[in-house]
Amino acid sequence: CSSRLSHNRSVTSTMRPASPIELELPALQKEGVSLRTVEAADYPFLRALYRSVRDTELAPLPWTDAQKQTFCDDQFAHQDRHYRTYYTQTAFLVIERAQAPIGRLYLNYAPGPLGVMDIALVPAARGQGLGSALMQWLVAWADADQRAMQLFVEADNPARRLYQRLGFVEQGQEGIYLRMRRAAANPG
């Protein structure tokens, strides 16, 4: 991989080793947006973020808030364990603005297509173009590396339109998710 890693926080012993993913975001630096590797201290934030992403789907359920929180905490723990066990070549990144966490970005950089496993922002950071800017940065990074990209998205997720504008095409349905792929850029 031709990209370089540039961040200033060490990875704790419980986290995966650093990835070859370039963590500098020149286009977003003026807005104070940066990426860094997930640390153990980030888990309360990541659990809360996971809950915020699931709130709409959980809203109609007749569960108490405590039951919804327990469910989300369990689901987050299962997802995190699964990702870290089966996707060993993944960059688990926290998105920050002004050094405060506002989201997560998980990228599988194993051989083959660059996998956008997850991109999520806190509610206050949604709808401001940040997700679009991050995806444009990833597309530029993949193009510079001549790598295809792949992601999975729910059919009713509004981000699906962004992915289509960026050149992702539907490759099929897997459960509730659409598999979308973007071809590698042609050299030259």
Side-chain angles (χ1 to χ4, degrees), residues 57-78:
E57 109 187 59
L58 295 176
L61 296 178
W63 297 351
T64 66
D65 192 56
Q67 289 171 315
K68 290 176 183 179
Q69 189 63 52
T70 299
F71 173 79
C72 285
D73 287 347
D74 288 346
Q75 290 294 300
F76 171 80
H78 289 301

Side-chain angles (χ1 to χ4, degrees), residues 121-140:
L121 298 168
V122 296
R126 296 177 195 156
Q128 300 172 21
L130 181 56
S132 296
L134 286 166
M135 285 302 298
Q136 290 167 354
W137 167 76
L138 285 171
V139 165

Side-chain angles (χ1 to χ4, degrees), residues 72-93:
C72 285
D73 287 347
D74 288 346
Q75 290 294 300
F76 171 80
H78 289 301
Q79 181 190 66
D80 187 67
R81 188 171 38 257
H82 178 81
Y83 283 174
R84 290 181 183 280
T85 300
Y86 295 102
Y87 298 94
T88 58
Q89 292 181 302
T90 295
F92 298 94
L93 306 171

